[in-house]
Amino acid sequence: MSERRVAALIGSPVGHSLSPTIHQAAFDAAGVDWTYVAFDVAPGRAVDAIAAMRVLGLAGLSVTMPHKHDVAAAVDRLEPAADVLRSVNTVSWDGDELMGSSTDGAGFVASLADGGVDVSGTAIAVIGAGGAARSVIDAIGRAGAASIRVVNRTVERADSACALAAVAEVGTSDDIGDADIVVNATSVGMGVDPASASVDDLPCDPSLLHATQVVVDLVYHPLRTAWLRHAEEAGGHTIDGLGMLIHQAALQQQAWLGRLPDVGVMRRAAEVALAAQER
Ligand code: NAP
């Protein structure tokens, strides 16, 4: 009989996280004897959680806010993206050492590929300069974007994020209209019913969007945000935030199990859970 392995999420809060649902669905579909649980770990206790991972022999860890930075300092080694970002969302075993990686950016690029979009050689406007935007900027720079324009409410944060990619510069709203791909990496629109959304619930003036663009929203609650609806009305190709969530989780499973899971199973499980949350 195989020994059951345990993977876990640490964060605070974790109550509404979709991670347990999507990871368990993939484990079950693959027929592996893994179980996934969520631990609410208080801010400042990430180092203790990593020590617990070693003592308890947890097989893998997902890390979410507010612990991504602290975990980067607590593991034995960092993969390149995690090292540059000083942010870890995945911990896996490499022999008896703990490896920290950051799968968010690679998950973003994979979600676009899943939607038939290759970022190499494209002009990309990223709206936002927080943790999610930084992961995206690092990954699209590595994936060969021709230019990246970072548009953010706080210009100093945009400037800092531009250091992550040689082709990145601080941008303006004009750059949004000129881009091949426009990404909302702000939290604007999160939790807002599109039917009652106002202009304040949109990350940019929707009249800047047009039919030849790919428009991506990292916000996935609600799944079809007001901004994506505007992009659809403009005729653009839209990609929702669940894509990145699923693909970063799939890459976590690859780090733990050595192979990619069925992303279709993960997506369907997430859609059911999201629909229940939105009711
Ligand atoms: P964060 O580090 O707190 O950054 C928030 C960003 O949103 C900053 O750029 C901030 O601008 C901007 N912002 C917030 N309120 C704004 C407003 N009213 N007007 C204009 N800009 C505003 O958060 P994060 O971790 O990057 O997450 C950003 C979003 O991405 C969240 O909705 C999160 O749920 C989503 N996300 C999705 C995935 C996924 O897998 N799909 C993964 C990670 C995150 P300032 O710098 O000016 O404050």
Side-chain angles (χ1 to χ4, degrees), residues 250-262:
L251 292 168
Q252 295 189 323
Q253 293 216 1
Q254 186 176 42
W256 301 331
L257 290 147
R259 61 181 161 74
L260 283 168
D262 183 334

Side-chain angles (χ1 to χ4, degrees), residues 65 104 128-133 152-154 157 185-188 190 218-220 241-242 244-245 248:
M65 298 308 289
D104 284 332
N152 193 50
R153 178 178 62 178
T154 309
R157 286 185 95 190
T186 73
S187 47
V188 177
M190 191 165 68
L218 301 196
V219 172
Y220 54 81
L242 213 43
M244 175 171 167
L245 185 78
Q248 62 80 28

Side-chain angles (χ1 to χ4, degrees), residues 23-248:
H23 279 296
Q24 195 63 55
F27 289 152
D28 294 347
V32 296
D33 194 9
W34 281 56
T35 192
Y36 189 98
V37 291
F39 293 118
D40 195 316
V41 173
R45 302 298 301 274
V47 173
D48 297 333
I50 294 299
M53 179 181 184
R54 297 180 201 268
V55 172
L56 300 173
L58 297 179
L61 212 60
S62 307
V63 181
T64 189
M65 298 308 289
H67 302 308
K68 291 181 172 187
H69 179 73
D70 290 350
V71 168
V75 293
D76 300 313
R77 287 192 293 126
L78 293 172
E79 285 188 331
D83 195 13
V84 168
L85 296 163
R86 302 309 295 177
S87 173
V88 162
N89 79 336
T90 309
V91 185
S92 56
W93 288 100
D94 184 10
D96 59 2
E97 290 192 320
L98 288 180
M99 171 73 85
S101 42
S102 177
T103 65
D104 284 332
F108 173 81
V109 172
S111 76
L112 264 60
D114 206 5
V117 178
D118 179 359
V119 302
S120 70
T122 59
I124 306 181
V126 176
I127 311 173
R134 292 175 67 84
S135 298
V136 166
I137 292 162
D138 173 63
I140 60 181
R142 289 171 197 271
S147 73
I148 302 169
R149 294 293 177 268
V150 182
V151 183
N152 193 50
R153 178 178 62 178
T154 309
V155 178
E156 293 76 18
R157 286 185 95 190
D159 195 37
S160 162
C162 288
L164 292 163
V167 296
E169 290 174 21
V170 175
T172 66
S173 54
D174 286 348
D175 296 306
I176 294 171
D178 292 341
D180 303 312
I181 302 171
V182 185
V183 184
N184 174 33
T186 73
S187 47
V188 177
M190 191 165 68
V192 177
D193 179 353
S196 56
S198 74
V199 68
D200 292 337
D201 301 314
L202 303 172
C204 74
D205 177 353
S207 70
L208 295 168
L209 305 176
H210 51 83
T212 63
Q213 289 177 318
V214 175
V215 178
V216 192
D217 205 337
L218 301 196
V219 172
Y220 54 81
H221 181 65
L223 197 49
R224 303 310 290 172
T225 57
W227 194 61
L228 284 186
R229 291 189 183 194
H230 278 289
E232 274 167 0
E233 282 164 20
H237 174 36
T238 61
I239 296 179
D240 64 47
L242 213 43
M244 175 171 167
L245 185 78
I246 296 303
H247 282 277
Q248 62 80 28

